[in-house]
Amino acid sequence: MEQINKGQDLFEQGNKAFLQEENALAAALYQQAIQEGYQTYSIYHNLANALELTEDISEAEDYHKKAMKRAETISTPADPVEHLETLLQASEQRL
């Protein structure tokens, strides 16, 4: 469980870096979170977006595919809800 919490913390740090347009840092934090076992649709999706903005298109495509695969296997609404909550928090921080 501790790894998941560490992964979630890294995910949140990645989101903050992404909002500050520090896309390479965001991508690195997302990758660390995945290594810690935090593997959700949202993290793969966000990592793909960060990689696109760093112009690493090939790797971004790979992570978009992984995100879509995760979306296909979601058995509960936890991941989509988490993603929407993350987006809401991000938009609130911009205000």
Side-chain angles (χ1 to χ4, degrees), residues 55-93:
E55 299 184 13
D56 191 345
I57 304 304
S58 177
E59 193 170 0
E61 288 175 0
D62 290 341
Y63 281 103
H64 274 301
K65 289 176 186 173
K66 288 180 181 184
M68 294 307 295
K69 190 170 185 175
R70 290 298 270 178
E72 291 171 4
T73 61
I74 294 173
S75 60
T76 66
D79 283 352
V81 170
E82 174 190 354
H83 180 65
L84 291 174
E85 288 174 349
T86 300
L87 292 174
L88 180 60
Q89 289 173 355
S91 66
E92 290 173 351
Q93 289 177 357

Side-chain angles (χ1 to χ4, degrees), residues 27-41:
L29 289 164
Y30 293 142
Q31 288 171 328
Q32 288 177 10
I34 290 168
Q35 290 174 350
E36 291 293 330
Y38 192 75
Q39 299 178 6
T40 64
Y41 162 81

Side-chain angles (χ1 to χ4, degrees), residues 40-56:
T40 64
Y41 162 81
S42 299
I43 198 158
Y44 285 114
H45 176 76
N46 291 8
L47 175 54
N49 290 337
L51 289 168
E52 280 182 11
L53 293 170
T54 62
E55 299 184 13
D56 191 345

Side-chain angles (χ1 to χ4, degrees), residues 14-28:
N15 288 342
K16 289 177 184 175
F18 187 81
L19 288 173
Q20 295 173 352
E21 298 180 10
E22 295 178 18
N23 302 310
L25 175 59

